[in-house]
Amino acid sequence: METLINIDNGGTLTDVCVWDGAKFSFTKTLTTPYDLSQCLFDGITKASIELYGSADLQRVLHETRHIRYSTTQGTNALVERKGPELGLLVDDPALADQLREAADEPGLFDDLVGERVAVVDPGLPADELEFEIVQAVNGLINAGAARIVVAAGEDRGETERRLRGILLRKFPKHLLGSVPFLYSWDFVDDHRRDRRIWSALLNAFLHPVMERFLYNTEERLRSYRVQNPLLVYRNDGASSRVAKSVALKTYSSGPRGGLEGTRAIAGSYGFRRVLMVDVGGTTTDVGIVEGADIASSRRGRVEGVPVSYPMSSVQSSGVGGSSIIRVVDGRIEVGPESVGAAPGPACFGFGGTQATITDVNVLLGVLDPSTYLDGGFPLDPSKSEAVIRATVAEPLGLTLEEALIEMERAFFARMAESFAPLVDDADTTTLAAFGGAGPMSAAGAARIAGVRQIIVPRLAAVFSAFGIGFSDIGRVYESAITDATADGIEATRAALEARADRDMFQEGYPLHSCSLVWSIERETDSGEHLDSMPYVPGVALAEVPGERMLLRLDVTAELPRAELVPHAPVTASAAVAAEVRAVRSAADRVDEVPVYRLLDQVPGATAIGPAIVEGPFFTARVLEGWTFRITTAGDLLLEDAA
């Protein structure tokens, strides 16, 4: 079996998980924000050492069937509002206010667009319309718009196509300094206006974040004469080539990988309801797996606004291992801003001047400065102490020890806020805690939220990258049924199949080798989904006033994947501690806490907290009142007996 590489690129660390047909190899490397392709190749090089015993990047690339890649860059860009300033060209002066009202977070429109809105009247005579459009676009550009979304007419793009003809003549693409235009109907065929325009705005914001890195990475892969394509992992759980990917669909793609892994682990253990809590450097991503189903929406929401694409129901909060902990108005606040990988937490020694939970855990004794990233990246506690004294302890009039406990308490509370609203029954809910920072704080946050069982996968440090391995090549097509006769529906079907045939050929798979699932989707005129039913060829449909029908095609080309070790009961035995570590549990209390090496324990090994469990590239904290045991798969199961 050819090697499969899965990569999850985060704001602080980039995770690499490799399946060679028999076992997993995995590693982590610092994200390089100045050139995201660098950390990708650094990670693959480190993984080759695990595979072959020495670094051999060229060999692993040539033995790899696919590289599947996901990133939190889009999620982080939106959380931190780091992206291009957008302009919006519309035909309705009331539209800006309507878009603001459609958002759960009213500030999002102003952060992305603000006052950069221009209105034109498509009904003007041609020469007047041309003059008005030129004036409008010049005004948007002068106001700072780096990308412009055009949204006009409710005629499935006819008005926008007329405007595009004018804009191509007046603002040709070959000129230096030309501003990219995105036309809402071209981007997505969705008759609900606010959803369609928000989709276009968000895509325009995310596109440059993804574009530069992905094409640069492909160019570097070509320099190694790699034939197999780089695949972009999407929020809907499928993958596609870079050239066939939509930037908006990469939003929360990493967490979707975590959800796929969570679904696999829930099935292995028979958990009824699992909350995924993926704590990275910049965000905590939360999702639900109930039974074998990942909570998702046919029309999703991003940052509180409706979008036209399916989305897994992942909520992202600005709290992570590199989130800035500061004093605001006499109170400790956590996030949403992050120090990222550069300069990173103060203890990284890259010049960071802001405190993070990573700095706190170094000084509490939870993290051993000499074993961070499995000993590959030593930390500097003195820099953490200096930053915390200056930014938190002294402004609040606290001792260093008091500040550490208060900062930890604030982080636990902030993390608990990210998932507590989803805990409807603590007795049937299991928390799946992973990511670089998840296992360290999961028990403290879970106790606040009332959850009493936590599963920390053996691959917790790279679990989203692991979950990406459950994806296939896939595409989804939808088209409104404007003629509900049998012949009319057949014409729509043939058009969709022709698109799918072209796209899957470009993906490298003939359509006849793929799985095709056809369905009819019913929506209200306002765009709310009613139900789905199988598509039956040759059968006309009855049109219902107030409803719309769409024909949908799901196409899948299956990729190979690994299987999880099934869970089985095992005889309990005492876990064996490797050492004892001094860990501060209160301002005036330091405990001698046993440290257990996860990979040294046998299935069934158990112990009570307080304890530290050192896994591969992660540290799990078992608080007083919690117990842990090692499962047959080598995972860490925590239970709160308090």
Side-chain angles (χ1 to χ4, degrees), residues 138-158:
N138 284 339
L140 292 174
I141 294 172
N142 291 336
R147 290 175 176 259
I148 296 174
V149 170
V150 180
E154 293 305 296
D155 48 11
R156 299 194 67 189
E158 185 60 37

Side-chain angles (χ1 to χ4, degrees), residues 513-535:
S513 70
C514 302
S515 166
L516 277 64
V517 178
W518 295 91
S519 61
I520 303 292
E521 306 292 334
R522 290 197 311 128
E523 289 184 343
T524 66
D525 277 343
S526 60
E528 300 303 317
H529 188 245
L530 295 172
D531 59 30
S532 303
M533 55 186 177
Y535 162 68

Side-chain angles (χ1 to χ4, degrees), residues 212-397:
R212 289 187 299 272
F213 154 67
L214 289 172
Y215 280 101
N216 186 30
T217 300
E218 284 201 319
E219 185 64 29
R220 291 187 65 171
L221 285 171
R222 279 193 288 270
S223 73
Y224 285 96
R225 292 179 168 80
V226 174
Q227 300 298 317
N228 292 329
L230 174 68
L231 298 179
V232 178
Y233 183 66
R234 307 193 308 257
N235 181 285
D236 59 8
S239 299
S240 55
R241 285 177 180 251
V242 172
K244 305 300 293 182
S245 299
V246 172
L248 179 55
K249 291 186 177 182
T250 69
Y251 178 86
S252 281
S253 61
R256 176 60 190 243
L259 278 170
E260 293 289 351
T262 300
R263 173 161 60 181
I265 213 168
S268 175
Y269 286 90
F271 294 144
R272 288 174 54 188
R273 179 180 172 88
V274 184
L275 288 186
M276 174 197 83
V277 181
D278 178 4
V279 188
T282 303
T283 61
T284 291
D285 300 307
V286 179
I288 301 173
V289 173
E290 195 138 23
D293 296 325
I294 292 174
S296 59
S297 302
R298 182 173 167 274
R299 307 285 196 182
R301 298 185 79 83
V302 172
E303 286 283 302
V305 301
V307 295
S308 303
Y309 290 114
M311 289 278 178
S312 54
S313 300
V314 174
Q315 300 177 12
S316 298
S317 301
V319 53
S322 296
S323 294
I324 296 170
I325 305 178
R326 57 163 65 93
V327 176
V328 178
D329 297 330
R331 295 171 49 252
I332 294 176
E333 288 194 359
V334 181
E337 294 85 2
S338 169
V339 296
C347 57
F348 280 15
F350 295 157
T353 58
Q354 302 284 350
T356 70
I357 194 63
T358 305
D359 296 300
V360 171
N361 279 318
V362 167
L363 296 181
L364 288 175
V366 176
L367 285 175
D368 182 344
S370 66
T371 63
Y372 188 69
L373 293 187
D374 279 16
F377 189 80
L379 304 177
D380 187 343
S382 66
K383 289 184 166 54
S384 297
E385 180 176 340
V387 163
I388 290 174
R389 285 188 185 277
T391 64
V392 179
E394 292 174 5
L396 291 178

Side-chain angles (χ1 to χ4, degrees), residues 122-133:
L124 290 173
D127 55 345
E128 293 182 30
L129 179 58
E130 287 193 4
F131 177 80
E132 188 172 288
I133 286 179

Side-chain angles (χ1 to χ4, degrees), residues 3-45:
T3 301
L4 302 172
I5 298 178
N6 304 321
I7 298 174
D8 182 32
N9 166 243
T12 304
L13 295 168
T14 293
D15 305 336
V16 181
C17 186
V18 181
W19 172 250
D20 66 359
K23 66 181 186 304
F24 287 106
S25 301
F26 53 92
T27 190
K28 299 174 81 73
T29 190
L30 284 175
T31 294
T32 48
Y34 58 87
D35 179 3
L36 292 176
S37 67
Q38 184 61 50
C39 53
L40 184 148
F41 284 93
D42 288 347
I44 296 175
T45 301

